[in-house]
Amino acid sequence: MTYTAILRITTLLLAGMLWTSAAPQPRLENISVTTLEQKLSSIDRELGKLARYSLRSGYGSVGYRSRFYDNADNTEWIQIDLGKEYPIDQIALVPVIWRENKTGFRADSFPREFQILAGNQGDTEGKIIASFVDKAEDNELPRTGPVVLDIPHVSASWVRIEATKLSPRAWDGKFELQLAEVFIFNGEENVALHQPVETSSHGWGEFSARRTEFMVDGFVPYLMNAASGEQSIAMVSGAGALDDQPSLVIDLGEILPLNRIHLHSVDVDDTIPQSVPPDYGIPRVLLVEGASKPDFSDAVDLIEIARLTPYDAGPIIMHRFPEKECRYVRLKALKPYIDRAGTKVCSRIGFAEVELFSNGKNVAKGKPVEASFDFDYQTRKLSAVTDGNNLYGSILPVREWLTELARRQELENDRPVIAAELANRYARQRTNLRWLGWLATVLAATILMIVLWERNYRMKQIASIKERLAADLHDELGADLHTIGLLSDLAEDSGDDPHQRAVLHQRIRNVTEQTGNAVRHCTDMLSTKGISTDLRTDMERASRRIMSKLSHIISMEGEEHLARLKPRTRNDLFLFFKECLVNISRHSGATEFATHLKADAKSIHLSVSDNGRGLSGRRENGVPGSLKRRASLMGAKVSAETSQGGGTCINLVLHTKKWLRRS
């Protein structure tokens, strides 16, 4: 196998392993690592800009719970009467949150499948305006955020939510429908707030934390925790007398139509457990008045908010009222909050923010505030009431806040899947890199071995060439010089016969020219014309030339096999024969010799015998070193034995399979 072939095979093996490891897989595995990394980075950047989940603690209203069933395939519905026809462009459903001991917070009995119908008065059937299918695994609802559905071009006076596939509640696995809050938006206005609600069933007592009206009370299980804005400490009044009626006055700067108020409670959820009740600072009865004059001589009542039960307070107390125009708004605690936690019992009023809405916009933000009371804490400033921030940052519009929470839910569901896929890809890459490392090591070692092997092979080849060159020079030149010597002796013994002398001189001349050719082409005997082209002819010519005084017999069998020998092999065989003749001529003292060459498809047998002095006194095994060297170059076996005439017989055996030319 050649160096190039080994490299090609190694490269193909490496490419095959990489192709196998990188074979496309379904879904996310069809996406490149770079794209997945960019997607994950994009998710992280977007999550950094979205509102975060901060769950409430303490106590308060939970929402609505239906009757329960033994399986999911039951229908429960909720219908909200909006009072009049409104254009609807978005609906948000907030789940009830359950604290699971092992997996943490999750939605409890949020419907797996539901559809939303809307209609007007007199239309009892309505039409489907939206639908939802939760793709979570059975008995597992990781959702904690709201489901927000955009509704295009619909006007309705009632909205019905029909749950067609229920999910199990956490504590006993029974199937039911639970919702914490339903928001129905007309622009920025939640037209479902404090509206009448009908349900297909109810599964809890009249005075519990799970009641039908709690689905539209504006209380959700989250604290508003925006991703932007500055922290603001809530305003809390100083300790007042029990019969005090502390008040706040906000100057809007101009007369504006108002129809909604949001009261943000004092932040009490920043410690675990809470240090004070969740309604801390919220008056038991709060009167909201509006006026166009600063002395409130033309005051009108906007709304009176009464807290009859602990369920009437929450992080954001939302109320709508009939639209009225005013510039000044006064919040008067007709029955203030009674603080019994300090060194003395006293009255207090406190808010993190007061929002007043005109056409869906908070017009109280940044406006000046006056108070009828003093402060006990230097850190609690009156300006906090309208600075637009809470303990966590900016106060967002409710619709925007819920949309961000829903988007966070989607991204937080997607992120672990993408992160897991990337982790798998990185693991495969590390495995591939380890394989690549091993393959690179093996490849480097293989290349090094090939280089060393090739270098050693070249050195052996050079040594072989040198050895062959030396052998060729020795055998060819030795035979030719011996022939010249014999012809010179014959010329000297020819006496005065000019014709014979001329013939001998011409023969000497021919041998000399042939010797010159052999010297010039000894590195490639194939390029020397006239050498071993016909083995029988060459052997007979050499016998006459070298052994002209000895009688000889040459016999051959299987010449068709000899004709198939490679030229190099045929030439080596011829040179071996010439070296045998030279040795007989020089050392044997023989008067005759015989040559027998037999060839078949598997081997060649050459035997050269004489009637000379025999093996006595010869070197080990009786085979001259020059013949051993020539036999070694051919890959043949050579041996010597005593011939029948008492002389020496040299035997050469050559297996011909690898020395034959292709037919």
Side-chain angles (χ1 to χ4, degrees):
M1 184 179 294
T2 64
Y3 171 74
T4 305
I6 293 174
L7 279 179
R8 185 179 293 112
I9 291 173
T10 306
T11 304
L12 288 174
L13 286 173
L14 177 60
M17 292 192 63
L18 290 177
W19 181 88
T20 301
S21 63
Q25 299 294 329
R27 297 189 301 273
L28 285 178
E29 294 195 1
N30 291 327
I31 304 175
S32 68
V33 171
T34 301
T35 303
L36 288 174
E37 290 174 336
Q38 292 173 350
K39 188 174 182 64
L40 187 64
S41 178
S42 175
I43 288 175
D44 289 339
R45 286 196 301 272
E46 188 174 355
L47 284 174
K49 299 176 182 178
L50 296 176
R52 303 174 182 88
Y53 293 113
S54 292
L55 300 181
R56 291 172 56 183
S57 56
Y59 62 91
S61 63
V62 174
Y64 164 74
R65 170 182 283 177
S66 73
R67 62 166 294 186
F68 63 84
Y69 302 89
D70 293 328
N71 58 74
D73 297 321
N74 287 278
T75 300
E76 286 284 337
W77 56 264
I78 298 163
Q79 182 166 316
I80 302 172
D81 184 3
L82 304 181
K84 66 177 184 176
E85 185 177 337
Y86 288 99
I88 297 170
D89 51 29
Q90 191 179 82
I91 295 177
L93 275 63
V94 180
V96 172
I97 306 298
W98 173 272
R99 189 195 304 269
E100 212 281 328
N101 294 334
K102 296 181 180 179
T103 60
F105 295 102
R106 58 172 246 189
D108 193 31
S109 297
F110 191 82
R112 299 296 298 273
E113 296 180 11
F114 65 82
Q115 59 186 11
I116 299 178
L117 296 89
N120 292 303
Q121 291 183 0
D123 178 9
T124 59
E125 298 296 328
K127 64 177 181 178
I128 298 174
I129 60 174
S131 60
F132 174 84
V133 177
D134 199 312
K135 297 180 180 179
E137 296 294 331
D138 289 341
N139 301 322
E140 179 182 358
L141 286 173
R143 171 175 299 280
T144 54
V147 171
V148 175
L149 303 173
D150 291 325
I151 311 297
H153 311 298
V154 172
S155 293
S157 61
W158 59 263
V159 172
R160 181 187 303 152
I161 301 161
E162 288 187 357
T164 54
K165 188 170 184 179
L166 307 178
S167 63
R169 61 191 184 190
W171 65 283
D172 65 355
K174 297 294 185 180
F175 292 85
E176 64 185 13
L177 169 63
Q178 291 193 60
L179 287 177
E181 190 75 13
V182 177
F183 291 84
I184 302 174
F185 287 104
N186 169 24
E188 295 296 326
E189 198 73 29
N190 176 20
V191 295
L193 186 64
H194 298 295
Q195 297 292 354
V197 180
E198 293 182 24
T199 61
S200 55
S201 68
H202 200 284
W204 210 256
E206 181 181 356
F207 301 103
S208 71
R210 294 177 173 85
R211 297 211 298 269
T212 302
E213 61 269 26
F214 288 164
M215 276 190 296
V216 291
D217 61 358
F219 298 139
V220 294
Y222 321 117
L223 301 175
M224 186 173 288
N225 183 357
S228 60
E230 300 293 331
Q231 184 185 72
S232 176
I233 306 300
M235 180 279 298
V236 177
S237 69
L242 296 180
D243 57 352
D244 280 353
Q245 291 184 334
S247 64
L248 297 169
V249 175
I250 301 174
D251 181 3
L252 301 179
E254 60 179 321
I255 296 176
L256 295 169
L258 303 180
N259 69 334
R260 179 162 43 107
I261 185 171
H262 288 183
L263 302 174
H264 293 255
S265 301
V266 176
D267 307 299
V268 296
D269 295 83
D270 54 342
T271 61
I272 300 175
Q274 291 179 190
S275 58
V276 294
D279 61 345
Y280 185 80
I282 304 297
R284 291 165 54 198
V285 178
L286 178 70
L287 176 63
V288 182
E289 300 174 297
S292 299
K293 298 179 181 180
D295 61 358
F296 281 83
S297 59
D298 59 347
V300 294
D301 293 345
L302 300 180
I303 189 172
E304 184 176 299
I305 303 171
R307 291 193 303 106
L308 303 178
T309 70
Y311 304 126
D312 295 328
I316 307 176
I317 301 173
M318 306 179 190
H319 283 278
R320 300 172 65 216
F321 49 83
E323 185 177 285
K324 293 181 181 179
E325 293 186 348
C326 56
R327 171 177 175 174
Y328 300 95
V329 176
R330 180 166 60 191
L331 287 77
K332 185 175 182 180
L334 300 182
K335 293 183 179 180
Y337 173 81
I338 304 302
D339 184 0
R340 304 178 187 277
T343 57
K344 65 177 182 177
V345 178
C346 61
S347 65
R348 293 189 187 275
I349 185 174
F351 299 105
E353 185 81 8
V354 175
E355 295 182 284
L356 299 170
F357 291 89
S358 175
N359 297 321
K361 181 181 178 181
N362 174 23
V363 294
K365 183 177 179 180
K367 297 301 190 291
V369 184
E370 294 181 0
S372 64
F373 47 81
D374 297 326
F375 293 92
D376 291 339
Y377 313 103
Q378 294 182 352
T379 56
R380 298 190 180 275
K381 300 178 181 179
L382 188 60
S383 59
V385 174
T386 57
D387 63 0
N389 296 308
N390 62 11
L391 186 66
Y392 303 99
S394 298
I395 293 176
L396 303 174
V398 173
R399 177 170 175 168
E400 179 182 343
W401 175 40
L402 294 176
T403 300
E404 289 191 11
L405 291 180
R407 178 59 177 164
R408 173 173 287 276
Q409 176 76 62
E410 295 175 4
L411 295 178
E412 289 184 349
N413 285 345
D414 292 342
R415 193 186 188 285
V417 178
I418 297 174
E421 177 62 24
L422 272 176
N424 290 335
R425 297 284 189 92
Y426 292 150
R428 290 201 297 269
Q429 285 183 346
R430 287 192 293 270
T431 301
N432 288 342
L433 287 175
R434 284 196 294 270
W435 276 107
L436 281 174
W438 280 108
L439 286 174
T441 302
V442 171
L443 184 60
T446 302
I447 293 173
L448 179 61
M449 291 175 63
I450 291 172
V451 171
L452 293 176
W453 174 83
E454 187 174 15
R455 182 178 179 185
N456 184 56
Y457 173 77
R458 297 300 181 192
M459 292 179 67
K460 288 183 177 181
Q461 195 174 40
I462 292 172
S464 175
I465 291 172
K466 289 181 178 179
E467 183 180 3
R468 180 175 290 278
L469 179 61
D472 290 350
L473 287 172
H474 176 275
D475 297 347
E476 183 66 28
L477 295 182
D480 288 345
L481 291 175
H482 182 68
T483 301
I484 292 171
L486 291 176
L487 293 175
S488 297
D489 292 341
L490 292 175
E492 186 178 352
D493 295 340
S494 64
D496 297 330
D497 186 350
H499 177 71
Q500 185 178 4
R501 186 176 299 173
V503 171
L504 291 173
H505 285 168
Q506 183 60 42
R507 290 177 63 185
I508 292 173
R509 178 67 178 174
N510 292 340
V511 173
T512 303
E513 290 178 357
Q514 187 170 350
T515 303
N517 288 336
V519 171
R520 284 193 302 273
H521 302 286
C522 62
T523 58
D524 186 7
M525 297 301 290
L526 297 179
S527 65
T528 305
K529 296 180 180 180
I531 295 181
S532 64
T533 56
D534 183 346
L535 196 55
R536 175 185 284 275
T537 301
D538 291 341
M539 292 173 68
E540 290 177 347
R541 184 186 299 115
S543 298
R544 291 194 301 269
R545 200 168 59 226
I546 299 173
M547 313 292 281
S548 59
K549 292 183 178 182
L550 278 65
S551 62
H552 61 276
I553 299 173
I554 297 178
S555 61
M556 289 188 180
E557 298 180 39
E559 291 188 51
E560 68 277 10
H561 298 293
L562 293 174
R564 292 181 57 204
L565 287 175
K566 294 180 181 178
R568 177 77 264 178
T569 306
R570 194 166 58 246
N571 188 69
D572 285 340
L573 193 61
F574 172 65
L575 291 178
F576 181 87
F577 171 71
K578 286 179 67 174
E579 184 63 21
C580 289
L581 298 186
V582 171
N583 284 330
I584 293 173
S585 174
R586 288 180 178 176
H587 307 296
S588 69
T591 59
E592 61 182 34
F593 71 94
T595 302
H596 182 68
L597 180 61
K598 180 181 178 181
D600 56 30
K602 295 183 178 179
S603 62
I604 295 174
H605 295 264
L606 173 65
S607 63
V608 181
S609 60
D610 62 62
N611 62 349
R613 288 188 288 270
L615 296 174
S616 59
R618 296 291 181 91
R619 52 183 62 86
E620 182 182 0
N621 295 328
V623 180
S626 60
L627 295 180
K628 287 183 178 181
R629 181 174 63 250
R630 179 59 61 182
S632 176
L633 291 174
M634 289 189 290
K637 294 181 180 180
V638 63
S639 62
E641 61 183 5
T642 301
S643 64
Q644 293 181 357
T648 303
C649 180
I650 299 297
N651 295 304
L652 178 77
V653 179
L654 173 65
H655 294 286
T656 59
K657 184 175 181 180
K658 68 177 181 177
W659 303 113
L660 294 176
R661 292 180 295 181
R662 293 182 178 179
S663 301

